[in-house]
Amino acid sequence: MAASVVDTYSDPNMSWMNAPHSTGTSIMACEFDGGVVIGADSRTTTGAYIANRVTDKLTKITDHIYCCRSGSAADTQAIADIVTYHLNFHKMELGEQPLVQTAAAIFRELCYNYRDSLVAGILVAGWDKKRGGQIYSVPIGGMVQRQAVSIGGSGSSYVYGYVDANFKPKMTKEEAKKFVTNTLTLAMLRDGSSGGVVRLGVISEAGVERSVILGDQLPKFYEG
Amino acid sequence: MSILAYNGGAVVAMKGKDCVAIATDKRYGIQAQTVSTNFPKVYQIGPSLFVGLPGLATDTQTVYQRLKFRMNLYELKENRIMRPKTFSAMLSNLLYERRFGPYFIEPVIAGLDPIDNQPYVCNMDLIGCPNEPEDFVVSGTCTDQLYGMCEALWEPDLKPDELFETISQALVNAADRDAISGWGAVVYVIEKDKITEKHVKTRMD
């Protein structure tokens, strides 16, 4: 998550300092046999200052649909609130729990139509009775892509290899939680804009169970 | 991000009772990416004299090499150990020589005077303006956080083991609120006949 700040030492003429706006975060979602596991770090930065070290980037949209937010904190919070409103209304009209695909479509409408004004990379993840556990990635620009496993945020660059090497379809819930925890820990180790604790969510037919893994309980990797 | 924040890092030094301490983080990063967790910015330059060089990493290495060169020549010509105040003047001169194309370093000096054993700390800006306070000095990308921690924790006449705790807590908690500092820490406590080097376990995020 990043908020803008004026840096008194910046020289706009030096192009290497005008690096692209960082979506400081590490987020992830992973399908398992019976639902999805979602995870995120807990760091919000204002420039290099850590404004919040215990942020919750896993936001409830409905009882069975959550989203993982990366990019501008303000933009993603506003979008999530609007989607929650629309989906609530839709649920009442429909008379049953809305589909994850519907939530993803509403996210897409906002992220695509306002693409010039927004900086938002979102993972929509949840469970519905038509298709079970699903993950829809809605990156900056507003495309939608269903994936079995998806990572996002600035920290994700460091863990594409790890995810490709270690993901297996039809994992158990515990295997999936371990996989997400390990991946996010590795991302937090390398990415300055990610850190704090690992927040997890497990979404299945039963609903959502949230958990937190504190810094000293994270898995240990080579720190050379 | 500014040039002084390209690599990130944090250094702090404090005076105690007949001792000084200096501490550094160990991160070497390129903007948000952490490349190594074994890059301390504090170097020993004399038997009781340490210098911390946070800022642009390439200049950390170059300024240390140039400083060591001048120090070696001084010690050979004068046949005596350089005193901390003199070292401070030398470093200030080295930086001001580059007034219009400076080294991107804001150094911190900590040492005990070899003659009267008085504790000495000093910091300077990137063009060599020295500041010699009676309590503590800070430098790096989390100076705001460091000032807050030091102002709250420091008191005069701390004994070496108390000073170690104080400076460690100041550095670690300040760096934990900075996205580009941390990933390990080294603390040196300098007394009359003893130097302790301790690697402090920190958050690695």
Side-chain angles (χ1 to χ4, degrees), chain B:
Chain B
M1 261 183 195
S2 86
I3 306 168
L4 285 165
Y6 184 70
N7 295 122
V11 173
V12 56
M14 289 182 172
K15 282 196 199 182
K17 183 121 184 87
D18 302 322
C19 61
V20 284
I22 185 167
T24 168
D25 73 323
K26 294 210 285 188
R27 180 180 181 267
Y28 168 56
I30 297 175
Q31 292 192 304
Q33 179 182 12
T34 300
V35 175
S36 165
T37 55
N38 194 19
F39 188 71
K41 292 102 187 146
V42 162
Y43 299 93
Q44 182 165 17
I45 204 116
S48 298
L49 188 51
F50 283 74
V51 66
L53 299 166
L56 196 61
T58 177
D59 287 346
T60 299
Q61 294 183 325
T62 301
V63 169
Y64 168 65
Q65 287 163 11
R66 297 222 156 134
L67 223 42
K68 190 86 191 113
F69 176 82
R70 290 195 193 194
M71 173 71 122
N72 287 346
L73 270 178
Y74 180 98
E75 287 182 346
L76 285 167
K77 288 184 196 178
E78 304 264 326
N79 206 22
R80 61 190 176 95
I81 292 164
M82 193 189 271
R83 300 173 79 173
K85 279 195 180 59
T86 316
F87 179 75
S88 190
M90 181 177 81
L91 179 48
S92 170
N93 173 258
L94 189 154
L95 294 175
Y96 199 80
E97 275 179 351
R98 291 278 165 267
R99 170 63 178 82
F100 298 110
Y103 289 115
F104 294 101
I105 294 288
E106 295 196 316
V108 163
I109 299 164
L112 288 173
D113 193 301
I115 295 172
D116 58 21
N117 284 308
Q118 284 306 303
Y120 177 83
V121 294
C122 172
N123 77 335
M124 17 188 113
D125 65 5
L126 77 174
I127 47 175
C129 173
N131 168 43
E132 298 165 331
E134 294 307 314
D135 42 17
F136 51 81
V137 288
V138 304
S139 190
T141 50
C142 52
T143 49
D144 289 358
Q145 293 91 320
L146 281 165
Y147 276 125
M149 287 306 307
C150 290
E151 203 64 57
L153 297 181
W154 188 88
E155 51 185 63
D157 295 323
L158 287 166
K159 296 205 287 293
D161 48 330
E162 296 172 324
L163 189 62
F164 169 77
E165 284 303 324
T166 306
I167 199 174
S168 302
Q169 287 297 315
L171 179 69
V172 167
N173 289 297
D176 282 352
R177 275 285 183 175
D178 183 12
I180 50 178
S181 295
W183 278 266
V186 187
V187 180
Y188 297 90
V189 181
I190 304 136
E191 301 168 66
K192 183 158 168 292
D193 305 309
K194 183 162 104 150
I195 298 180
T196 14
E197 171 182 337
K198 288 211 180 90
H199 290 251
V200 176
K201 208 154 115 66
T202 69
R203 300 183 64 96
M204 302 296 276
D205 62 3

Side-chain angles (χ1 to χ4, degrees), chain A residues 33-210:
Chain A
D33 192 16
V36 293
V37 173
I38 56 172
D41 73 305
S42 68
R43 180 171 288 186
T44 310
T45 48
T46 314
Y49 177 66
I50 300 171
N52 188 351
R53 60 191 178 103
V54 287
T55 326
D56 188 2
K57 303 180 188 182
L58 305 175
T59 304
K60 178 174 140 160
I61 307 293
T62 70
D63 289 337
H64 287 86
I65 304 172
Y66 268 63
C67 71
C68 309
R69 300 182 289 114
S70 73
S72 155
D75 287 351
T76 53
Q77 283 171 18
I79 294 167
D81 287 349
I82 295 169
V83 173
T84 305
Y85 162 77
H86 279 293
L87 223 43
N88 233 343
F89 203 84
H90 173 66
K91 181 178 79 179
M92 286 189 243
E93 290 180 317
L94 207 57
E96 57 184 30
Q97 292 294 327
L99 298 175
V100 187
Q101 186 179 26
T102 312
I106 303 173
F107 268 106
R108 187 269 318 281
E109 278 306 283
L110 292 164
C111 292
Y112 177 74
N113 288 323
Y114 293 99
R115 60 188 299 175
D116 293 339
S117 313
L118 296 171
V119 179
I122 293 170
L123 296 178
V124 187
W127 184 94
D128 62 43
K129 64 176 193 253
K130 185 171 176 189
R131 294 195 179 97
Q134 299 144 74
I135 301 161
Y136 294 87
S137 178
V138 185
I140 291 173
M143 68 175 263
V144 200
Q145 173 82 36
R146 184 180 172 189
Q147 293 178 291
V149 63
S150 194
I151 51 179
S154 57
S156 66
S157 321
Y158 305 106
V159 291
Y160 274 99
Y162 181 80
V163 168
D164 290 344
N166 291 96
F167 173 72
K168 303 184 309 286
K170 295 215 180 341
M171 280 188 277
T172 65
K173 181 172 88 167
E174 290 310 315
E175 284 177 326
K177 280 172 81 171
K178 191 97 196 85
F179 175 52
V180 171
T181 308
N182 284 349
T183 311
L184 290 175
T185 303
L186 286 166
M188 282 158 54
L189 203 60
R190 284 288 176 181
D191 182 28
S193 318
S194 303
V197 304
V198 170
R199 291 199 190 275
L200 289 178
V202 181
I203 313 174
S204 61
E205 182 170 11
V208 171
E209 40 173 283
R210 297 288 314 260

